[in-house]
Amino acid sequence: MTGTSYNIVGVYFGHNGSVALSRDGEIIFALSEERLSKKKNHVGFPEKAYAYMVNTYLKGDCQKIDQLVVPCGSNLEYDFYVEQGNFTDHQYYKAYSSGTVPEVPELFRLRNRDYFREYLIKDLKAVGRLDRDAEVKKRFRAYLEEKTGLGSEKFIYLDHHKAHAYSTLYYSGQEDERIVFTLDGSGDNRCASVSLLTEAGVLKRVSRTTRYPSPGRFYREITAFLGMRPDEHEYKVMGLAPYAYEAEVGRIKAKFKDILWLADDGRFRSQFSMELVRYFLLSECAYDRFDCVAGAAQAFIEELVCEWVTYWAEKLGIWNLSFAGGVFMNVKLNQAISNIKGIKSIVITPAASDESLVVGCCAYGNLLKGGVSLRPVSTGSLGVSVNEEEVKSYFEENGTKYSYLVIHSEDPHQEVAALLASGEVVGWVSGRCEWGPRALGNRSLIADPARAGVVKKINQMIKKRDFWMPFAPSIIDSDVARYTREVGPQLDMRWMTVAQDVTERALSDLPAALHPADNTSRVQMVTEDTNSDFYTLLLKFREITGRGALLNTSLNLHGSPIATDVADCIHIMEHSDLEYLRIGSLIIRKE
């Protein structure tokens, strides 16, 4: 241990490479590399984020790190991401991006059981050999030593799904007995786990499922089949689903039930590995309507996962539940789970996909040490900060396409609220950027949600979103009950993790922030202690309009990461029709 503080770092080098730092049990920094590399869903060691953390929080000395926890309990992820480089330069997407439709193997068309069995046996043998390979393990250790500047005596290797599970502890606490579910495409050759959080604060795994019958992989392949980018555009499938015809959804969903199901032991089972499901989709769904395929996939996943959750809650007799893993980024699935009868409370890790691994690593490292209490995460503001001096420096050092008027405001909240009430769209930049993929009022594009036409305006100005995708509202805590219907059990609504049904009042006050097809909404409840700056803006806006809610979407160009620094914000203004930007007490207007 160094000094008087105990520094635990979680670091992940795979899809959504990220870093988190906890000091004496508190997460004080968390950032995904994409925010600094400017590469969406950055894959690889988070070199810039790691360097920023060391320089900013450890005075430039990486030796102040007491333990570095890596969410890889085997050689598999190192081999996949680093040695094979399957994600490098989008190699992983070649099967989709080439435009060549793969031929369905004859043995697959015949549903040859021997073919499926041999596929699994061959893969399991290869996985076993790789995991036992001492030379690969040695190279893995050397890779981490080179990237981190630390000796291997400081490394802890944590199973991928355990890291997901431990991430929930920063949001649920350790006092209540809970079931913790994890579900994703694959990690350390698993797709799912069920763990019991005991009253002693210990996670005990009671079930796990190999990657082959992965519901996450199934949804990933649906995304690719529909011509969208897998491992990135799954949310677009979810957004498209409500437009589907109910009768067609039922017909297509029946096909899926024959290939993936929940077994009597509470584990997922499948007719064949979900890595082969592209062939099934090509042979069985090629002439089905695209929106109906999306609707069927969404309905199927909701039913399957809710069946899984109910099975284990009933079996263990525990109805306090926590969730992490990429599948739980699906807010409509989370809404379905929240409506399961009997649930007492739900906790969903805010950035539930692979960003959350590093937070879970920090939790595990602290608990392993013993005597350190985890301090609950109460804010998403865990990344890189901006200040007004950086605005001045930027304009002094860089040429710009447009002229800008920079005004120092005595009351920026009042002035921005007035702009919004008059129908303007404003880029809202405040303090440290958010951890994870949701804009929570730190790097947001905001507008009046009562103006239905603002959706078209934002899309034409900057977002260029697919026509079926909805926006979301940020609602001041005292107005949440005014706009949302009861969503079941105790639920933390601060992180935009669950879709909700809305009230009649919301239909008139928030039409631009509702899903056009089913009027659901992915609500962010804004509290003063979570984000006082954004909270103040909502108060000012309510004073003018009577509505304590704003349309809130991420401040970024389509396909790019959310803005981090001043350069990102000005770049967005330069390459879009965005006219107003607020940073601190400065209001910047494009002339």
Side-chain angles (χ1 to χ4, degrees), residues 91 117 132 151 156 166 171 237 246 292 350 359 372 583 591:
Q91 294 297 308
R117 187 180 302 111
R132 293 189 298 269
I156 297 173
Y166 275 101
Y171 299 90
V237 177
E246 188 174 342
C292 295
V359 171
V372 176
I583 299 178
E591 294 193 290

Side-chain angles (χ1 to χ4, degrees), residues 97 339 359 468 486:
S97 62
N339 289 323
V359 171
W468 64 82
E486 186 177 356

Side-chain angles (χ1 to χ4, degrees), residues 397-423:
E397 297 170 7
N398 297 275
T400 56
K401 179 180 178 181
Y402 299 97
S403 296
Y404 295 89
L405 181 64
V406 181
I407 301 171
H408 183 277
S409 173
E410 295 297 327
D411 192 348
H413 301 88
Q414 182 67 39
E415 292 197 28
V416 171
L419 285 170
L420 296 169
S422 68

Side-chain angles (χ1 to χ4, degrees), residues 308-323:
W308 178 55
V309 170
T310 302
Y311 173 95
W312 285 104
E314 290 179 344
K315 182 178 179 65
L316 299 176
I318 298 171
W319 295 90
N320 294 310
L321 311 177
S322 294
F323 303 90

Side-chain angles (χ1 to χ4, degrees), residues 130 214 416 544:
L130 177 61
S214 169
V416 171
I544 298 173

